[in-house]
Amino acid sequence: MEKVTSGIKGLDSILHGGLPKNETTYVIGSAGSGKTMLAFQFLYGGALKNEQGLMVSFEEAEKDLLDDYAHMEMDIKHMVNEGLLTIDYVFFDDNTFNESENFTLDGLMLRLDYLLKKTGAKRVVLDSFKALFERFGGPVNFRLELTRLIKWLKTRNVTTVITGGQSKGTLGVEAYVADCIILLDQRVMGQLSTRRLRVHKYRGASHEIDEFPFILSSSGFVVTPINTLRLNHVALDTRISTGIKALDSMFGGKGFFKGSSILISGQAGCGKSSMAAKFIYDVCSKGEKAMMFQFEESKDQILRNMRSIGIDLKPFIDKGLLEIHSVRPTNFGLEGHLLNIIHAIDSFEPTAVTLDPITSFWNKDEDYGIKSLMTRIIDHLKSKQITGMFLHLMHGDGAFESQDTLISSLIDTWIALRNRESESNRYREIYIVKSRGMAHDHSIHHFEIDNQGFKIDRKKYE
Amino acid sequence: MNEPTSKKAIYSLELYVSGESFISNRAIESVTSLCNDVLQGRYELKIIDLQKDPEKAVTENIVVVPTLIRKSPEPKRQIIGDLQNPERVMRGLEIHRTSLI
């Protein structure tokens, strides 16, 4: 089976290559589920390769469609002006009287035939069968007409996407004539809405069978199939500095492995964020890009707090080397967070990423969710050889909590920080819980943070 | 005699069909005979075969065939079906027998 790009990267991997060439794909979903978006991305993906596309719209006029999609990164209007995309609005005249049910879709077919010859279109969209059915449907033979239309399209050497609704959970008979069926779904869980897609059938071709969450952004569908069963990341031998000389020396003088996942755990106020900021500062100082995801503090707060200990991140933002994303954990569902994070990472392509704190997500009664979220983020970072640092806010006095075991297996290097009190003063301690694949320090050390930065006292316990 | 007739509207009709199919031929026959019977000389009927002139499907926004369009008198009226029921065709065209006498 020859496949063509759907115009959506993530969907192509779910489809193991793309949509069936010169066949029909039926995209089913409720109103607002993203059907028309998918259809436009399909046409746009073709137009980018100079393939002519034809959009037959039964719902909206050309101008309205162009207005609706004007905010998108894909420039549909440009493609229309370039003559690579033709929109035919099939308008249903209200002043139409059904004399009988004995009519055929020959009008539409001849119309399509004419437009296909005129434009040389290789990709066609019919949006939507639902509108067509609502206007003309009813008689049993109209379903047969839709079936006849799909079969006719197969003979035209065009790759077709037809959108449709789902009535009472069942697919119309016409859907089964299509070679590929994609279901789009929008559901609400805990007041947060999540979109998912699934390939329901793909005749004669392999594809992923799971449901995949997606979001609709200004770049269209963001869907990331991460198969956690595939553990084929390249493990790099290259090292990346922790940004703190004394800490580097605890890792054999070289720091972390590049592309590894690092957990920094500790109670409030023991220096986790500062350590992360120092790491990021060091990455950016070397002219590489980094990204910070903050779930509790605003960008300005972070910049101010870090400046107070001598870590000025602002110049890196100005130079375009650093992006700080502040977002409330409750803004989206876990899936929404995952996709937003991955989308941001993919568009910025940083060397290192911090998430502060990952604990924010644990309030959401989704134990399974957090593990799966972390697995997928870590997987994604590893596949791109990006070093990921995760900050874990602990509430107790350093005793590990149940969640720790949830994610510790995913982590390559774990640094624990803690506050301690002696009779006369309060101090901080640091030690390495684990660090896979390298020799590392096993002692507990004192450390301090002041406006000069970090001071780790390695002698104290030796 | 001539005067009232000239005041009567002239019906300008267009019938869109596809080739010489059974359903097309049946519609053509039935519209022609209805026009002859009811509109006696006060109509223009154009038959457009979309197989020969497919561009018309775009410009006239045709989806199904047969489609019968009343272009005038305005407003435009459109009827779909194989047009075998003269009463319903007349209803769709808004022709009232009484108004024609």
Side-chain angles (χ1 to χ4, degrees):
Chain A
M1 166 82 65
E2 215 181 320
K3 296 180 178 182
V4 297
T5 177
S6 66
I8 300 165
K9 228 171 97 193
L11 182 56
D12 282 350
S13 30
I14 292 169
L15 294 163
H16 293 181
L19 300 171
K21 188 177 179 183
N22 294 343
E23 303 287 353
T24 298
T25 299
Y26 205 70
V27 179
I28 295 164
S30 54
S33 59
K35 301 188 293 293
T36 307
M37 176 83 82
L38 189 149
F40 264 127
Q41 286 194 263
F42 161 68
L43 293 177
Y44 197 78
L48 288 175
K49 299 191 298 174
N50 278 318
E51 263 181 43
Q52 291 280 345
L54 172 64
M55 161 65 112
V56 181
S57 169
F58 302 112
E59 293 182 351
E60 279 193 282
E62 175 168 346
K63 188 189 170 299
D64 295 332
L65 280 172
L66 292 180
D67 285 352
D68 288 353
Y69 288 83
H71 68 286
M72 301 294 300
E73 280 166 28
M74 60 173 165
D75 195 345
I76 294 171
K77 201 168 183 178
H78 172 76
M79 292 302 185
V80 170
N81 292 339
E82 290 291 300
L84 281 165
L85 210 154
T86 307
I87 300 176
D88 179 33
Y89 175 38
V90 179
F91 165 71
F92 300 143
D93 196 329
D94 286 339
N95 289 316
T96 301
F97 178 79
N98 289 29
E99 182 265 343
S100 69
E101 292 177 348
N102 296 322
F103 49 78
T104 71
L105 274 175
D106 280 8
L108 181 62
M109 288 187 216
L110 290 165
R111 177 175 186 156
L112 271 168
D113 192 45
Y114 168 76
L115 290 169
L116 289 179
K117 282 180 185 147
K118 189 181 159 199
T119 62
K122 287 277 158 242
R123 292 172 177 238
V124 180
V125 167
L126 302 179
D127 183 41
S128 71
F129 260 27
K130 185 167 182 279
L132 195 59
F133 191 79
E134 275 171 4
R135 173 59 191 86
F136 299 104
V140 175
N141 61 10
F142 192 71
R143 286 224 182 267
L144 297 177
E145 280 298 293
L146 294 176
T147 304
R148 192 165 69 92
L149 172 61
I150 295 173
K151 286 182 174 162
W152 174 80
L153 279 163
K154 283 174 190 272
T155 68
R156 306 302 308 174
N157 282 334
V158 289
T159 308
T160 308
V161 166
I162 295 173
T163 67
Q166 210 163 357
S167 61
K168 292 168 201 154
T170 57
L171 298 177
V173 62
E174 69 280 1
Y176 290 97
V177 188
D179 289 273
C180 178
I181 299 178
I182 298 172
L183 300 175
L184 304 181
D185 169 75
Q186 194 172 7
R187 68 185 76 148
V188 176
M189 290 184 307
Q191 298 183 353
L192 292 164
S193 132
T194 312
R195 300 171 186 275
R196 283 165 206 270
L197 74 78
R198 181 168 68 84
V199 178
H200 179 67
K201 95 165 188 190
Y202 199 149
R203 192 174 284 153
S206 71
H207 60 89
E208 297 291 319
I209 55 167
D210 297 333
E211 274 195 319
F212 294 92
F214 69 95
I215 52 173
L216 295 177
S217 75
S218 62
S219 56
F221 269 67
V222 180
V223 53
T224 315
I226 300 172
N227 193 336
T228 52
L229 299 173
R230 260 180 244 144
L231 281 172
N232 52 2
H233 316 301
V234 185
L236 296 177
D237 275 332
T238 329
R239 297 293 194 100
I240 183 168
S241 169
T242 65
I244 300 163
K245 218 176 161 198
L247 186 56
D248 278 351
S249 70
M250 289 171 70
F251 294 101
K254 297 173 192 163
F256 309 125
F257 277 126
K258 200 159 184 270
S260 64
S261 45
I262 300 131
L263 183 74
I264 301 184
S265 66
Q267 300 132 281
C270 65
K272 296 184 300 299
S273 298
S274 311
M275 191 167 271
K278 193 71 191 15
F279 169 62
I280 291 297
Y281 182 90
D282 194 66
V283 170
C284 292
S285 301
K286 289 172 180 145
E288 296 192 37
K289 290 198 276 187
M291 209 162 198
M292 300 168 81
F293 292 92
Q294 301 294 142
F295 302 110
E296 279 175 6
E297 284 183 299
S298 74
K299 184 170 153 184
D300 284 345
Q301 263 177 304
I302 285 285
L303 290 177
R304 185 200 59 200
N305 296 350
M306 292 308 129
R307 212 163 30 233
S308 75
I309 52 164
I311 303 171
D312 189 3
L313 295 169
K314 182 88 181 7
F316 299 128
I317 294 181
D318 298 340
K319 273 189 237 164
L321 287 173
L322 176 63
E323 275 189 12
I324 300 181
H325 292 252
S326 270
V327 56
R328 281 256 163 242
T330 47
N331 278 3
F332 317 100
L334 286 177
E335 301 291 0
H337 273 291
L338 173 74
L339 294 166
N340 279 313
I341 290 169
I342 285 174
H343 186 47
I345 289 171
D346 286 354
S347 18
F348 191 60
E349 299 184 328
T351 298
V353 167
T354 63
L355 271 77
D356 181 13
I358 52 168
T359 339
S360 305
F361 296 106
W362 284 333
N363 310 327
K364 304 189 78 181
D365 315 319
E366 280 187 71
D367 247 11
Y368 160 75
I370 180 70
K371 166 115 193 215
S372 129
L373 176 88
M374 289 309 299
T375 310
R376 287 151 76 188
I377 289 177
I378 289 172
D379 250 17
H380 191 71
L381 292 176
K382 290 202 168 191
S383 72
K384 305 240 153 172
Q385 303 180 353
I386 298 169
T387 311
M389 183 179 277
F390 311 98
L391 307 197
H392 176 10
L393 175 65
M394 298 173 88
H395 299 287
D397 59 352
F400 297 135
E401 293 158 22
S402 64
Q403 294 98 338
D404 302 340
T405 50
L406 268 179
I407 58 158
S408 81
S409 61
L410 306 170
I411 295 292
D412 299 308
T413 297
W414 184 347
I415 301 170
L417 307 181
R418 64 189 181 198
N419 291 319
R420 281 289 195 218
E421 281 165 32
S422 69
E423 279 169 24
S424 55
N425 62 355
R426 197 162 168 266
Y427 57 94
R428 294 177 170 119
E429 285 176 348
I430 180 169
Y431 64 97
I432 299 169
V433 181
K434 72 166 183 182
S435 195
R436 284 177 185 157
M438 63 168 83
H440 62 83
D441 187 292
H442 290 276
S443 315
I444 296 171
H445 305 283
H446 276 206
F447 80 100
E448 281 169 37
I449 306 171
D450 58 23
N451 57 9
Q452 304 294 308
F454 285 78
K455 281 182 200 142
I456 299 177
D457 183 359
R458 298 196 62 197
K459 294 223 171 72
K460 219 143 212 163
Y461 289 85
E462 280 170 13
Chain B
M1 270 297 278
N2 281 342
E3 228 197 345
T5 317
S6 68
K7 275 183 184 166
K8 298 283 182 197
I10 299 283
Y11 281 79
S12 172
L13 306 175
E14 290 177 354
L15 176 61
Y16 292 84
V17 295
S18 163
E20 308 241 317
S21 67
F22 175 64
I23 194 169
S24 296
N25 287 340
R26 202 159 69 166
I28 294 168
E29 269 171 37
S30 118
V31 172
T32 313
S33 85
L34 180 87
C35 287
N36 281 333
D37 290 353
V38 182
L39 293 174
Q40 294 147 353
R42 300 201 299 99
Y43 71 93
E44 288 167 8
L45 174 63
K46 264 193 254 174
I47 292 160
I48 296 110
D49 180 356
L50 292 176
Q51 291 194 7
K52 289 181 185 142
D53 193 0
E55 191 178 356
K56 275 276 195 309
V58 182
T59 55
E60 297 299 319
N61 194 49
I62 305 297
V63 185
V64 299
V65 291
T67 293
L68 179 63
I69 297 178
R70 184 187 86 184
K71 288 263 174 167
S72 72
E74 297 213 39
K76 183 184 158 192
R77 289 286 179 262
Q78 196 165 292
I79 304 171
I80 56 173
D82 61 351
L83 312 173
Q84 292 307 290
N85 182 334
E87 292 302 320
R88 286 181 67 79
V89 175
M90 283 172 65
R91 211 175 115 199
L93 289 175
E94 293 173 355
I95 298 172
H96 309 287
R97 280 182 193 276
T98 48
S99 71
L100 293 168
I101 297 162

